[in-house]
Amino acid sequence: MKNINILAIESSCDETSASVISDGKILNNIVATQSVHEKYGGVVPELASRAHQQHLIPVVSEALLSSGLKAEDLSAVAVTRGPGLMGSLMVGLSFAKSYAYALGIPLIDVNHMQAHILAHYIDDPKPAFPFICLTVSGGHTQLVLVKSHLDMEVIGETLDDAVGEAFDKTAKLLGLPYPGGPMVDKLAAEGNPLAYTFPLSEMPGLNYSFSGIKTAVLYFLRDQLKNNEDFIKDNLADICASVQYTLIKMLMQKLKRATREHRISQVAIAGGVSANSGLRKELNSLAADLGWKVFIPKFEYCTDNAAMIAMAAHYKFLEGDFCGLDISPIAKMKI
């Protein structure tokens, strides 16, 4: 029987990535980063789209070359359809549609957020169904009940800003370089998490809100700088630690509630913020206290990457879940 070989492409934001998967085994994960955004302190959509155009053919070529496969060996082409930046998605989707058409093979559209969750099936250990996944990134914060590889239900989500945005906004207010979230995490390890108190937003059910803490940090810094212009410089680590402590506490409160309500003890995290060392430490601590079995992906599969797109595509291929060449990107695609 012929192997199932899939080329996957990820271009939802500012990472251009390609990966090849063969019979469910990831052969590579090629990622090209975009440094052009650093001087702007955030992703500029137009610049991201142009960078994808520059990077896409080189990363696809490298993915095929390092896999040892040729284009004619491919069974399908997979691509992120959404959610993401519309221009960035369009670049990847246009290329994938053309490539699949030229080879006469199926096209598979992948939900970016589902792919983050399915990154847990790239390596062992793999969670058994059902489990709850806390998916956290710059654009999303969701609690997802995962019933099977392709059957997922969002049981809680942010009603305004994502937790990753709160990390990045805090970093920007502190004058830290982009990307700011990892810098906050690094400095937090050196600070006192109880040095300053920030409010915990209370939302109904399993939903989140992170707009309030962004405003609280803004006003806190404004008031402190009135009396001491060196306040941020003198207390940088403590500020980072205190903000990170508050954000993680908010995440864990709803996660604990979700596990109780659904009577599930298998817990996973996914998305770019799942690389945060403070979050990982707290999750493992709660696992020891509450008897959870915790699953945390490797760092390379936390941020945007094509390997997770390839894994999701593998399961869709097995179900014969293909799409037409007339599809368009969906910026706010839901699970």
Side-chain angles (χ1 to χ4, degrees), residues 108-311:
I108 302 173
D109 61 325
V110 173
N111 183 306
H112 182 83
M113 301 312 296
Q114 285 188 337
H116 268 304
I117 295 171
L118 292 175
H120 288 281
Y121 292 88
I122 296 175
D123 295 318
D124 290 326
K126 300 177 177 69
F129 303 112
F131 66 93
I132 290 176
C133 187
L134 172 64
T135 310
V136 280
S137 68
H140 299 84
T141 303
Q142 297 177 332
L143 284 168
V144 182
L145 177 60
V146 186
K147 304 172 186 177
S148 73
H149 294 112
L150 300 176
D151 184 6
M152 305 179 189
E153 177 188 355
V154 176
I155 56 176
E157 61 187 335
T158 179
L159 300 181
D160 42 54
D161 302 325
V163 67
E165 186 177 341
F167 273 107
D168 289 339
K169 180 64 173 180
T170 296
K172 196 166 186 177
L173 291 171
L174 296 175
L176 298 176
Y178 175 84
M183 289 296 298
V184 172
D185 183 28
K186 182 178 179 180
L187 289 163
E190 305 168 5
N192 176 10
L194 302 179
Y196 308 106
T197 302
F198 296 100
L200 299 171
S201 298
E202 292 293 336
M203 300 302 292
L206 297 174
N207 291 323
Y208 293 101
S209 170
F210 295 100
S211 62
I213 189 171
K214 291 199 311 181
T215 304
V217 172
L218 173 65
Y219 290 160
F220 169 76
L221 294 176
R222 181 198 63 183
D223 294 342
Q224 295 297 325
L225 289 170
K226 288 179 181 178
N227 301 319
N228 177 9
E229 61 181 18
D230 294 324
F231 176 77
I232 292 178
K233 182 178 69 175
D234 295 341
N235 302 278
L236 186 56
D238 285 348
I239 298 170
C240 289
S242 298
V243 173
Q244 178 161 294
Y245 171 83
T246 305
L247 292 172
I248 292 174
K249 187 173 183 179
M250 291 168 65
L251 290 172
M252 293 299 102
Q253 282 182 341
K254 292 301 176 81
L255 179 58
K256 287 189 288 185
R257 179 173 175 176
T259 60
R260 290 196 303 268
E261 290 184 1
H262 291 271
R263 298 181 181 180
I264 289 176
S265 59
Q266 287 204 123
V267 176
I269 56 173
V273 181
S274 64
N276 182 279
S277 63
L279 177 59
R280 289 173 172 237
K281 181 179 179 180
E282 181 62 19
L283 189 61
N284 283 319
S285 176
L286 285 175
D289 293 339
L290 302 176
W292 290 349
K293 189 172 183 180
V294 168
F295 300 88
I296 304 175
K298 291 181 179 178
F299 282 105
E300 65 180 298
Y301 302 135
C302 291
T303 54
D304 294 345
N305 67 91
M308 67 182 193
I309 304 301
M311 185 54 64

Side-chain angles (χ1 to χ4, degrees), residues 70-87:
K70 298 179 180 179
E72 51 265 32
D73 297 323
L74 295 175
S75 309
V77 178
V79 64
T80 303
R81 188 179 183 186
L85 300 176
M86 185 61 76

